[in-house]
Amino acid sequence: LGKFSSFYYYLRSLYVDQVDGEAAIEDAIKAVLAGLDPHSSYVSAEQLKAEMEMTEGAFGGIGVEFGIVRDTVTVISTYKDSPADMIFDTFEDSIFAGSELGHNILGTKAALMRHTSESIKQFVARTHTTDQMVFSSIGNMSVKSVQSVVAKYLAEQPISTRNFKRIAPEKVEPFERVVNKHTHQTHCIVGARAYDINDDKRLPLSLLVNILGGPSANSRLNTVLREKNGLSYNTEAIYTPYNDCGMVAIYFSSDHHNADLCRELIDNELKSLRTTPPTARQLSMIKRQFLAQMAISMENNEGYMLGAGKSYLVHDEIDTLEEVYRKVSAVKAEQIMEVAEDIFANTSTLIYQ
């Protein structure tokens, strides 16, 4: 995996022509499977989603289940947010209790009904200020053309500055809460407050969270909970930084009778990370995998431009892949262990069951 990550990085950064990274990876996967036997094949995420929708009768994106009745597609039932989604909202409500961050971004039905057209206009005028706007564009348009379009619609817009600042959330004592939802599985989040988006420790924490429960199948939690023991259907770890604080959350779902063992194994992994720094070989693999994921994410033009716009707005600069590589390479094993101790020494837990 490390060798392939290095190959992909050098291919993206040093090859003379632009390379379609996603296509290159899929071609590599197909080549590996073709060399195994004539029966193995690769199915892309888009193909799998289409096939699942055809065979299972469920469209996750719009929240309906359907069936075929007399050769006609018929909606059988609709469903609300899944427990896996709802538990994140509830955890944020608790970890940021008393703060604006501790409320659903859509608000409550009663609060929304109180709004008038005038109050919405006042909200837009107060929050949509020019110092908080960045325009990023990608496509077959010159810089001059983009500037011309922006000027056409916004040239007469007066300069405005945001004159308020959110009050940083107050400290919340660690908690453990169980909510009886009568769910088919147990859903659990173990998490804590974390660093804000400008903190120097943000990068070591990102590396830590990525190897702990990132998108790769070789993440530590996926390996110990799912691959080795077959206990969890889904596990992941996320780090969300804000301008004045942040949050780390480890999520898993499992059968009810496996939940306690899952939590015990997670605690063991966190203790190990807090007390033992990664070896030189492990640290090298962590960094190469993180960089490869970064390179792959840049293949999505829309995602890249949204990220670039946010970076310019928050940090007043946009790092190149080479600059990211330099910063990641400078992270030391001791920093990762120190961050693990800092964040995971006192965690909070929320359980849906």
Side-chain angles (χ1 to χ4, degrees):
L1 181 61
K3 183 180 291 186
F4 182 81
S5 298
S6 297
F7 162 75
Y8 183 81
Y9 169 74
Y10 290 123
L11 180 67
R12 288 276 292 116
S13 58
L14 301 178
Y15 188 66
V16 64
D17 292 326
Q18 185 173 1
V19 177
D20 186 335
E22 185 173 351
I25 291 174
E26 292 198 354
D27 288 343
I29 295 173
K30 292 174 183 177
V32 171
L33 292 176
L36 296 178
D37 59 70
H39 309 292
S40 301
S41 61
Y42 170 75
V43 179
S44 68
E46 291 77 13
Q47 291 172 318
L48 178 61
K49 181 179 179 182
E51 291 179 8
M52 294 290 282
E53 289 176 348
M54 291 174 63
T55 57
E56 288 188 351
F59 288 103
I62 60 175
V64 302
E65 295 181 0
F66 70 92
I68 307 298
V69 180
R70 295 177 183 175
D71 298 326
T72 303
V73 176
T74 304
V75 174
I76 297 173
S77 64
T78 61
Y79 54 88
K80 297 180 180 180
D81 290 340
S82 69
D85 294 327
M86 292 175 62
I87 193 170
F88 278 95
D89 291 337
T90 306
F91 187 78
E92 288 182 343
D93 290 348
S94 301
I95 204 76
F96 297 122
S99 164
E100 290 92 334
L101 290 174
H103 299 286
N104 191 307
I105 192 171
L106 295 178
T108 63
K109 182 178 180 180
L112 290 173
M113 293 301 294
R114 290 196 297 268
H115 279 293
T116 64
S117 59
E118 185 59 33
S119 67
I120 293 174
K121 290 178 181 178
Q122 292 175 357
F123 172 81
V124 171
R126 184 173 71 96
T127 58
H128 289 57
T129 53
T130 57
D131 66 324
Q132 297 296 313
M133 295 182 184
V134 172
F135 290 87
S136 59
S137 172
I138 190 166
N140 191 24
M141 290 182 68
S142 65
V143 175
K144 187 176 181 179
S145 297
V146 174
Q147 292 173 335
S148 176
V149 172
V150 173
K152 177 180 179 181
Y153 294 98
L154 297 175
E156 298 181 2
Q157 178 74 23
I159 295 175
S160 56
T161 303
R162 180 171 292 185
N163 57 8
F164 68 92
K165 185 177 182 180
R166 183 180 67 227
I167 299 175
E170 295 183 2
K171 182 179 179 180
V172 174
E173 292 300 318
F175 58 84
E176 179 162 338
R177 295 174 186 162
V178 178
V179 181
N180 292 315
K181 288 282 188 179
H182 306 291
T183 52
H184 178 66
Q185 305 167 12
T186 293
H187 300 263
C188 177
I189 287 183
V190 178
R193 290 274 190 91
Y195 311 119
D196 64 59
I197 200 166
N198 293 304
D199 199 298
D200 291 338
K201 296 180 181 178
R202 180 170 58 97
L203 183 53
L205 179 57
S206 296
L207 288 170
L208 172 64
V209 170
N210 187 64
I211 195 58
L212 182 63
S216 297
N218 67 338
S219 69
R220 292 179 66 152
L221 293 183
N222 188 71
T223 300
V224 72
L225 295 184
R226 185 169 182 170
E227 302 301 327
K228 287 186 177 180
N229 297 291
L231 298 174
S232 176
Y233 299 99
N234 182 31
T235 180
E236 62 179 318
I238 63 169
Y239 166 41
T240 307
Y242 300 103
N243 65 353
D244 52 9
C245 61
M247 180 189 76
V248 167
I250 299 168
Y251 164 82
F252 76 86
S253 62
S254 70
D255 288 336
H256 297 307
H257 63 274
N258 289 329
D260 288 341
L261 181 53
C262 285
R263 290 186 60 191
E264 180 181 341
L265 293 172
I266 289 173
D267 287 343
N268 290 341
E269 289 298 315
L270 295 181
K271 182 178 180 180
S272 174
L273 289 166
R274 289 167 51 202
T275 56
T276 307
T279 65
R281 182 174 180 274
Q282 290 171 336
L283 182 60
S284 176
M285 291 181 63
I286 292 170
K287 292 177 178 180
R288 285 186 291 177
Q289 182 166 292
F290 185 82
L291 288 167
Q293 292 169 356
M294 288 285 295
I296 292 172
S297 69
M298 290 183 177
E299 294 297 326
N300 183 312
N301 290 335
E302 180 182 3
Y304 173 73
M305 293 306 293
L306 287 172
K310 180 179 179 181
S311 178
Y312 186 77
L313 182 64
V314 175
H315 303 292
D316 201 30
E317 62 180 2
I318 302 172
D319 285 341
T320 63
L321 187 58
E322 289 73 19
E323 181 64 17
V324 173
Y325 179 85
R326 184 190 65 78
K327 291 180 178 180
V328 170
S329 299
V331 175
K332 296 178 173 58
E334 290 73 19
Q335 290 178 280
I336 293 181
M337 185 180 70
E338 290 170 3
V339 164
E341 171 63 23
D342 192 16
I343 299 298
F344 294 123
N346 295 290
T347 57
S348 297
T349 304
L350 175 65
I351 299 172
Y352 277 5
Q353 63 181 23

